[in-house]
Amino acid sequence: MEYKALQGALKKASKSPQINESNEDTITKFYGQQLRKVIRIIQAAQESLNAGLINKEQFARFLSSADEEITRLCKEQYDGEYTDEINSFDVDALDSNEVINMEKYPYAGGNDCSFDALLAFLTRGSDTSPAELEEFWQTMRPPPWPTTPRPSPDHSSLLSRFSSKYSSETVERLISTAPVAKVDILRSVLEAHMEIRSYRICNPTAMALNSNYLALACAGGWKERECIFYRYIIPGSDENNEHQGSTKELDEESDILGFYEPAQRLLYHSQHLWAQGDCRIKGYDAETNDLKYTLRGVEYGQNGAFGVTDDLVFQMGKSGKIFSWKMTKLQEHEPVMFDSPEDEKPLGGRIYSEDWWLDEDAQEKVEMSRGQKPDSSTSIKGLGLVNVISPLPYSTKYLCSSTGYPEDKNTYAVKVFDLGQVGADADVVGIGMAAGVEDFATHVDLPNIYVAAGGDHLARIFDIRYPIAQIFLDGHMTDIDCCTIGSSHSEVPLVFTAGRDEVIKAWDIRHSKACLYELSTGTLRATSLAFHDERSTLFAACMNENADRLGYHHDYDEFDDIDEEEDGYDEDATHWPKQSNTAPEQFGQRWCQVDHCVLEYRFKYGAEKTFFPASESPSSPEW
């Protein structure tokens, strides 16, 4: 099809359906049909590009139009209150796409028997017997943990639950073809041999990882208004501290970042740790944590994500604005604290300090410099306010997801912009989401592949060269908050995803094309994930949604003096959140972590299956 024909077909396919019924199933069906038509026309446009019937510029314009139509249809369905949730597969699942499923249990942790009875009544009728009700209810809950696959009964962690589709034969074949030096670590990752540790922190807001350090910014203090910083030194691999053979815990250090509000973003680049908080961006020496730079960021309500390259620091603003600071022009300065003498002049003047709502001790930790103004700014057409970005390996391009204000372009597509091409438009490279993207994952071993985790409960695997997802990861009951890629030393890349359903899922997207297993987070919600390839370790920053800003815990069964426990969990492990998304017996050991924490899943060949920070419960013994 030529360009004009494609545009006409798109306009026809994306026409809002005329619906005279109020039945939700009927409405969803009609909208699903329209959305699928749009995706098939996008597929036709890709074929036209490959055949030379349209050029790259026309294809880019067509994708932008299709993105707007998909977003409009999704929002129309949401805003019209036709449904609370759109079936993501109505949006972009084609026969040629691959879907990797993992068992989902809608009411794994629920215990509302009246709702169970109502649900059974609506689905089975009023003559439902108790036996039929119990049979139906069992399909909503995970099967008993002892019935699930256990590839290594002596070493697979009790806090892992393997998929019914797990293939030991495929795993053994992969291991048999791996280099001898990598066999042990590969087996440990594929069979979940791991040591699990937890480190208590305040409510996490951001996490960053490099070869030597794990950094976390948290909301702490009175009503979680302070910016609390933790840095953990990762055990090395020198002769006296071989990681794979060590049970050494992370060494914790804490320091101040100097913000008057919790920092929202962290990243390591070269020799610096960069943090974004309140309306500023600060740069620190990665080894000493000493403050070096303060940059005056974009004002409230318009401050999007930031990034760092070898040449500049940049921050996204409203309506596709990008503000940048050249590395060669950055001004080093000494910190000027809240209680510093008046003759000490902060860089860029003194920040306003009348409405912080911080106590005196917290105020003394605030660095007062307004910071250095941007050197330049530019605009990228096609972007709104960008809150999520990720660099593409070996290029100057960045993936981004735009949330935007009403006057901004606000679509669900993945776009890419190029810092190396001034004035270039943002191009749509990933299309079909039924909600916004929450996180991206890329890896240098997979330069053309990226993962987009979204608010429509799916993670998608894209090839940057094609606009429609190649693989769909369908295994979460809730929004997916975060994702990361672990390369397993380039042998078997795994994708890890996590959200509000209190589990981390591990997906093999290349070989077995399956979700291998899920890991318990101790009834916590993982908000950030990072994988340390050299140490074969997964880190998860986790928050407890049952703890309020004052530190009180709510809605637990048999909650007894947990706040007094020094280790962050009850020795008897008898408590459990009433609204948990996981069941107490969903894993081989009952584990309820009551504090915000960072979890370390250290893959180690031959690890003891009981190596984790939870004690055996007399009421829930090891299976």
Side-chain angles (χ1 to χ4, degrees), residues 469-487:
Q470 306 298 300
I471 302 174
F472 299 87
L473 307 182
D474 179 27
H476 287 276
M477 289 302 304
T478 63
D479 298 353
I480 302 177
D481 292 328
C482 49
C483 57
T484 192
I485 298 174
S487 75

Side-chain angles (χ1 to χ4, degrees), residues 281-590:
I281 298 171
K282 289 181 176 291
Y284 306 83
D285 186 290
E287 296 293 328
T288 65
N289 289 346
D290 291 338
L291 176 65
K292 297 189 70 175
Y293 311 111
T294 299
L295 311 180
R296 187 183 304 184
V298 187
E299 64 186 45
Y300 277 115
Q302 302 181 25
N303 48 348
F306 83 106
V308 183
T309 72
D310 292 338
D311 301 318
L312 54 83
V313 180
F314 67 92
Q315 183 179 15
M316 311 302 295
K318 189 177 175 182
S319 301
K321 275 274 194 180
I322 295 184
F323 301 87
S324 59
W325 297 258
K326 292 183 179 179
M327 284 289 188
T328 55
K329 294 185 178 181
L330 294 184
Q331 303 175 33
E332 291 192 32
H333 71 98
E334 293 296 324
V336 177
M337 309 309 291
F338 180 82
D339 56 355
S340 295
E342 292 186 4
D343 59 347
E344 294 188 17
K345 302 299 182 182
L347 177 66
R350 199 174 183 88
I351 58 174
Y352 184 72
S353 58
E354 296 299 320
D355 54 357
W356 286 352
W357 294 90
L358 296 175
D359 58 34
E360 292 184 2
D361 290 341
Q363 288 183 1
E364 293 176 357
K365 301 175 184 177
V366 177
E367 203 282 321
M368 299 300 292
S369 299
R370 291 188 67 190
Q372 180 179 343
K373 292 181 180 180
D375 297 318
S376 62
S377 65
T378 186
S379 294
I380 296 182
K381 186 178 178 181
L383 291 183
L385 180 64
V386 173
N387 281 335
V388 183
I389 65 174
S390 178
L392 284 171
Y394 310 114
S395 78
T396 57
K397 296 180 179 180
Y398 277 77
L399 298 167
C400 66
S401 176
S402 178
T403 54
Y405 281 76
E407 64 268 27
D408 280 340
K409 281 185 172 292
N410 181 8
T411 68
Y412 297 146
V414 178
K415 299 182 180 181
V416 66
F417 63 90
D418 192 343
L419 287 176
Q421 294 185 11
V422 179
D425 295 349
D427 293 326
V428 174
V429 294
I431 204 166
M433 279 68 73
V437 175
E438 300 293 333
D439 195 16
F440 291 115
T442 61
H443 199 283
V444 293
D445 291 340
L446 306 167
N448 293 318
I449 301 299
Y450 69 91
V451 184
D456 57 1
H457 304 184
L458 289 178
R460 292 169 172 81
I461 312 298
F462 285 93
D463 187 315
I464 192 68
R465 297 163 290 189
Y466 302 98
I468 299 174
Q470 306 298 300
I471 302 174
F472 299 87
L473 307 182
D474 179 27
H476 287 276
M477 289 302 304
T478 63
D479 298 353
I480 302 177
D481 292 328
C482 49
C483 57
T484 192
I485 298 174
S487 75
S488 300
H489 300 273
S490 304
E491 298 303 318
V492 183
L494 296 186
V495 173
F496 295 91
T497 58
R500 299 187 68 171
D501 48 3
E502 302 165 8
V503 292
I504 299 171
K505 296 181 184 286
W507 310 80
D508 174 15
I509 61 171
R510 176 177 288 176
H511 299 283
S512 62
K513 299 293 181 66
C515 183
L516 302 180
Y517 51 79
E518 61 185 18
L519 303 173
S520 171
T521 60
T523 71
L524 300 181
R525 174 184 178 181
T527 58
S528 298
L529 294 175
F531 195 89
H532 197 296
D533 285 325
E534 291 80 7
R535 306 291 182 263
S536 300
T537 298
L538 175 68
F539 294 101
C542 300
M543 65 176 293
N544 184 355
E545 293 193 294
N546 295 286
D548 62 26
R549 292 191 301 161
L550 296 177
Y552 295 106
H553 296 76
H554 305 278
D555 298 323
Y556 278 81
D557 287 326
E558 302 180 47
F559 193 88
D560 184 21
D561 295 329
I562 295 179
D563 285 348
E564 297 179 5
E565 293 295 328
E566 294 182 358
D567 295 329
Y569 57 88
D570 183 3
E571 288 295 333
D572 294 329
T574 57
H575 55 281
W576 200 261
K578 293 180 180 179
Q579 300 301 319
S580 174
N581 287 293
T582 55
E585 288 75 35
Q586 188 163 334
F587 294 90
Q589 177 68 45
R590 189 174 189 169

Side-chain angles (χ1 to χ4, degrees), residues 15-35:
K15 185 178 180 180
S16 298
Q18 300 298 316
I19 302 172
N20 298 319
E21 300 184 44
S22 59
N23 181 276
E24 182 176 314
D25 290 338
T26 302
I27 294 168
T28 301
K29 177 181 177 182
F30 278 117
Y31 271 92
Q33 290 173 348
Q34 299 299 96
L35 290 165

Side-chain angles (χ1 to χ4, degrees), residues 100-272:
I100 302 178
N101 292 296
M102 172 65 170
E103 297 89 347
K104 294 185 288 186
Y105 305 102
Y107 308 107
N111 57 4
D112 191 340
C113 296
S114 62
F115 179 74
D116 302 343
L118 174 63
L119 183 62
F121 175 81
L122 292 174
T123 56
R124 294 289 186 89
S126 57
D127 296 331
T128 301
S129 67
E132 289 176 317
L133 176 59
E134 178 61 24
E135 179 183 356
F136 170 76
W137 180 236
Q138 290 303 323
T139 65
M140 298 289 102
R141 288 175 170 166
W145 185 83
T147 66
T148 61
R150 302 301 298 163
S152 179
D154 293 330
H155 301 294
S156 296
S157 174
L158 293 180
L159 296 182
S160 63
R161 182 184 179 94
F162 285 78
S163 168
S164 61
K165 299 177 182 179
Y166 183 89
S167 172
S168 295
E169 180 180 343
T170 300
V171 169
E172 288 298 331
R173 185 170 64 252
L174 291 175
I175 294 174
S176 66
T177 59
V180 175
K182 298 180 180 179
V183 166
D184 286 352
I185 188 57
L186 187 58
R187 183 178 294 278
S188 71
V189 173
L190 297 178
E191 296 184 350
H193 301 199
M194 66 181 69
E195 298 173 349
I196 303 177
R197 296 170 173 82
S198 68
Y199 306 90
R200 296 175 64 182
I201 57 176
C202 298
N203 194 353
T205 57
M207 183 169 72
L209 176 69
N210 71 0
S211 298
N212 301 316
Y213 303 108
L214 176 71
L216 292 110
C218 301
W222 184 66
K223 290 191 175 180
E224 297 185 346
R225 290 173 174 168
E226 290 184 46
C227 179
I228 308 297
F229 175 67
Y230 300 88
R231 186 177 76 161
Y232 295 91
I233 302 173
I234 297 173
S237 57
D238 56 73
E239 182 179 354
N240 298 320
N241 186 24
E242 170 56 42
H243 181 79
Q244 285 297 316
S246 172
T247 57
K248 180 180 175 62
E249 295 189 355
L250 302 182
D251 292 327
E252 177 188 334
E253 295 180 343
S254 60
D255 210 328
I256 60 171
L257 294 179
F259 295 109
Y260 59 82
E261 291 182 351
Q264 296 303 311
R265 298 175 180 91
L266 291 176
L267 65 87
Y268 277 107
H269 181 82
S270 186
Q271 303 301 313
H272 297 95

